[in-house]
Amino acid sequence: MPRIAHRLPQRQTGFTLLEVLVAFVLAAIGIVALMQAFAGGLRNLGKMDEFVMAAMVAESRLAEVGILYPVAVGEMEGVEEGDKYHWRISVSPCADPDGLAVMPEQSPGLYLVEVEVSWSAGRKPASFRLPSLRTKSPTPWIARSVF
């Protein structure tokens, strides 16, 4: 009797359509998540850029107190960058740690100087506040050459 070779049925290799669709769905979900993360990062970068600019405006205005503006009780206001950043400087007598006002006769002229910068950040306003202490010196500061 002749021998008949029995062949086992060959299995097909590769992916089924369902496996391919599941892989595409998972890849799409991952790509969407990455795009949202990058968009959020760019949005936060824009907000941080505005915050850094406001801090620079506040620092420059604070540096001018005692040089261009007198250290005297009161308030001053202005704008920077074409009406985007509104700043306000308020100078008041300094209070001691217990919350009692320091009397001018008892202190060397210590004043609390606060610079507040506000701007419109999208739909809601944002602000940055920078406090400092200054003394009222009897003679104005004069730049002297080292040479």
Side-chain angles (χ1 to χ4, degrees):
M1 211 188 261
R3 221 173 192 198
I4 299 177
H6 288 280
R7 284 185 161 171
L8 295 173
Q10 291 184 353
R11 291 188 54 126
Q12 289 184 345
T13 59
F15 298 106
T16 64
L17 182 59
L18 182 61
E19 291 171 333
V20 171
L21 287 176
V22 168
F24 274 129
V25 167
L26 291 176
I29 289 172
I31 289 172
V32 167
L34 283 174
M35 288 178 63
Q36 286 180 344
F38 282 125
L42 288 174
R43 206 171 20 255
N44 287 339
L45 185 64
K47 289 179 185 177
M48 187 54 70
D49 189 37
E50 290 177 341
F51 216 100
V52 167
M53 185 61 187
M56 287 175 40
V57 168
E59 286 177 350
S60 65
R61 293 295 159 244
L62 187 61
E64 292 174 349
V65 173
I67 299 172
L68 296 179
Y69 309 123
V71 181
V73 176
E75 289 190 356
M76 292 169 271
E77 293 184 353
V79 293
E80 290 280 326
E81 291 244 344
D83 286 347
K84 182 170 184 176
Y85 297 96
H86 298 269
W87 55 267
R88 187 178 76 235
I89 300 172
S90 62
V91 181
S92 61
C94 183
D96 68 7
D98 295 328
L100 302 172
V102 176
M103 304 305 262
E105 305 88 38
Q106 299 172 347
S107 72
L110 196 59
Y111 292 90
L112 175 64
V113 179
E114 290 183 299
V115 179
E116 184 174 359
V117 179
S118 59
W119 69 99
S120 176
R123 295 182 182 151
K124 59 182 181 176
S127 66
F128 178 80
R129 193 174 135 259
L130 186 63
S132 181
L133 294 175
R134 293 282 193 265
T135 58
K136 186 181 238 183
S137 73
T139 57
W141 179 79
I142 300 172
R144 297 178 193 255
S145 175
V146 179
F147 302 107

